[in-house]
C-alpha cells in the first residue's frame, strides 16, 4: 500500500533549512515531505491546497510558439516570481510544470542537469496602452533554452545572444534573415513600451488565492532594473541588432 506523503511547500531558498529540520526529498514527485506527523520544525512549510490548473481569467492560447517577448524596461527584474510569496511560488511552479507534463511547452524538452537545462515559468502579458496597465494573462512552462530566447535582451546582457539566436532559428524553422527581422521587430515594440511606466495587474494570481509579496511601485521598478544591471557592471539596455554586426556575430562574414 502506498504511503500518504505529508507534503511540504518549501521555497528553494529555504531547502537547506527544511532539510536540517528533518524534511526529506522525493525525487519522483520533486517535492519535500515530512517523514512523520507532528514535526514542529516543519510546520512553517505545511502544504497549502494545490493551485488550480487553470488560473481564473488565464488565457492559455495567448502567445503560441517561440518568439522574442521583451519585457518593458520599467519592469525588468520584477517578474512574477519576485512578486509572489516564497511558499506560494513553490505551489505555482509545481502547477505550471505539472500541467505541462514536465516538458517545455514549446520544444518539448525535459530537464537535464548534465545540459544545465531546467523548466522555468514564463509570463505572457497584455498591454492596455490607454490605461497603461500591464496585465498577466498566462503562465507557460519553458525550458532554459526557450526562456533565454524570449528574454533576448537579457541574453545579450549575459553574453549568450548567439546561443539564443541559434535556438530561435532551430525551433521556429526561420531563416537567419527572418530571425533577425523578428528580433528587430521585437525591439521596436520594446522601445515603444519602455517609454511608458506600467501598472501591474496580477489578478489571475490573487483570484487563485496566491499571496503576493508587493513589488516595487511603478517608478521604483525602473530603479530596480538600473541598480541590478549596474551592480553587475553590465550594459543598462539591450542592444538592438544591426545588419553588419549580425553577420559577424552569427558567422555569416
Amino acid at each position: 500500500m502506498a504511503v500518504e506523503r505529508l507534503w511540504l511547500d518549501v521555497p528553494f531558498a529555504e531547502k537547506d533549512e527544511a532539510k536540517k529540520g528533518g524534511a526529506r526529498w522525493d525525487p519522483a514527485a520533486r517535492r519535500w515531505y515530512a517523514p512523520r506527523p507532528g514535526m514542529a520544525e516543519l510546520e512553517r512549510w505545511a502544504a497549502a491546497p494545490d493551485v488550480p490548473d487553470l488560473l481564473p481569467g488565464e488565457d492559455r492560447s495567448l502567445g503560441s510558439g517561440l518568439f522574442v517577448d521583451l519585457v518593458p524596461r520599467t519592469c525588468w527584474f520584477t517578474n512574477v516570481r519576485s512578486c509572489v510569496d516564497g511558499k506560494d511560488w513553490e505551489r505555482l511552479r509545481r502547477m505550471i510544470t505539472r500541467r505541462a507534463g514536465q516538458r517545455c511547452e514549446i520544444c518539448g524538452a525535459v530537464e537535464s542537469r548534465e545540459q544545465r537545462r531546467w523548466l522555468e515559468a514564463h509570463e505572457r502579458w497584455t498591454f492596455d496602452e490607454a490605461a497603461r496597465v500591464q496585465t498577466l494573462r498566462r503562465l507557460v512552462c519553458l525550458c532554459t533554452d526557450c526562456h533565454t530566447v524570449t528574454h533576448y535582451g537579457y541574453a545579450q546582457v549575459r553574453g549568450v545572444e548567439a546561443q539564443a539566436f541559434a535556438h530561435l532559428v532551430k525551433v521556429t524553422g526561420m531563416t537567419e534573415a527572418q530571425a533577425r527581422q523578428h528580433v528587430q521587430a521585437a525591439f521596436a515594440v520594446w522601445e515603444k513600451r519602455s517609454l511608458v511606466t506600467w501598472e501591474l495587474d496580477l489578478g489571475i494570481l490573487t483570484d487563485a488565492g496566491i499571496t503576493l509579496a508587493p513589488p516595487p511601485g511603478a517608478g521604483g521598478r525602473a530603479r530596480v532594473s538600473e541598480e541590478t544591471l549596474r551592480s553587475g557592471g553590465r550594459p543598462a539596455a539591450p542592444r538592438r541588432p544591426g545588419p553588419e554586426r549580425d553577420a559577424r556575430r552569427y558567422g555569416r562574414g
Side-chain angles (χ1 to χ4, degrees):
M1 179 180 296
V3 177
E4 182 72 20
R5 292 287 197 212
L6 298 172
W7 296 116
L8 304 171
D9 291 331
V10 180
F12 181 80
E14 299 174 14
K15 64 181 180 64
D16 291 339
E17 189 177 355
K19 184 177 180 180
K20 185 178 179 180
R24 295 180 183 173
W25 176 252
D26 184 323
R30 301 185 59 79
R31 192 172 179 184
W32 293 94
Y33 66 95
R36 62 183 183 277
M39 298 182 68
E41 301 89 342
L42 302 179
E43 287 179 358
R44 58 186 283 198
W45 295 295
D50 285 341
V51 176
D53 280 357
L54 184 65
L55 298 169
E58 185 179 17
D59 181 1
R60 294 202 65 196
S61 68
L62 179 65
S64 61
L66 183 61
F67 58 94
V68 176
D69 192 19
L70 301 173
V71 179
R73 184 187 184 89
T74 51
C75 292
W76 282 1
F77 305 110
T78 50
N79 56 14
V80 167
R81 183 170 185 172
S82 71
C83 297
V84 172
D85 175 79
K87 281 186 61 177
D88 275 3
W89 170 254
E90 175 59 23
R91 296 169 61 217
L92 195 59
R93 180 205 62 77
R94 189 167 61 248
M95 180 276 286
I96 294 166
T97 56
R98 181 186 66 239
R99 75 180 182 183
Q102 303 299 324
R103 289 182 175 273
C104 175
E105 292 186 53
I106 291 178
C107 73
V110 298
E111 286 193 339
S112 171
R113 181 176 297 274
E114 293 75 18
Q115 298 179 43
R116 300 185 65 80
R117 183 178 63 234
W118 315 108
L119 295 179
E120 304 166 359
H122 177 65
E123 307 92 7
R124 301 277 196 224
W125 305 86
T126 57
F127 295 84
D128 184 333
E129 296 186 3
R132 297 191 171 189
V133 175
Q134 177 180 339
T135 303
L136 180 65
R137 288 297 186 194
R138 181 187 179 189
L139 290 169
V140 56
C141 178
L142 301 184
C143 68
T144 300
D145 296 333
C146 287
H147 205 188
T148 299
V149 171
T150 65
H151 293 299
Y152 199 90
Y154 193 40
Q156 291 180 335
V157 169
R158 293 166 51 214
V160 294
E161 180 181 6
Q163 296 95 308
F165 185 84
H167 191 70
L168 175 65
V169 169
K170 175 183 176 182
V171 172
T172 63
M174 295 180 186
T175 65
E176 291 192 359
Q178 290 171 332
R180 283 195 294 274
Q181 291 175 353
H182 171 73
V183 172
Q184 290 172 345
F187 271 84
V189 172
W190 173 82
E191 288 173 350
K192 179 180 178 181
R193 287 177 176 166
S194 292
L195 297 174
V196 176
T197 299
W198 301 90
E199 294 295 336
L200 299 183
D201 181 346
L202 302 175
I204 69 170
L205 300 182
T206 54
D207 290 349
I210 298 295
T211 302
L212 300 184
R221 291 196 297 274
R223 290 194 299 274
V224 170
S225 67
E226 291 290 349
E227 291 168 1
T228 304
L229 289 171
R230 191 182 306 118
S231 67
R234 296 174 289 197
R239 303 180 303 279
R240 186 171 181 172
E244 299 81 4
R245 186 166 54 78
D246 286 349
R248 181 172 64 253
R249 176 159 292 142
Y250 305 128
R252 298 187 52 138

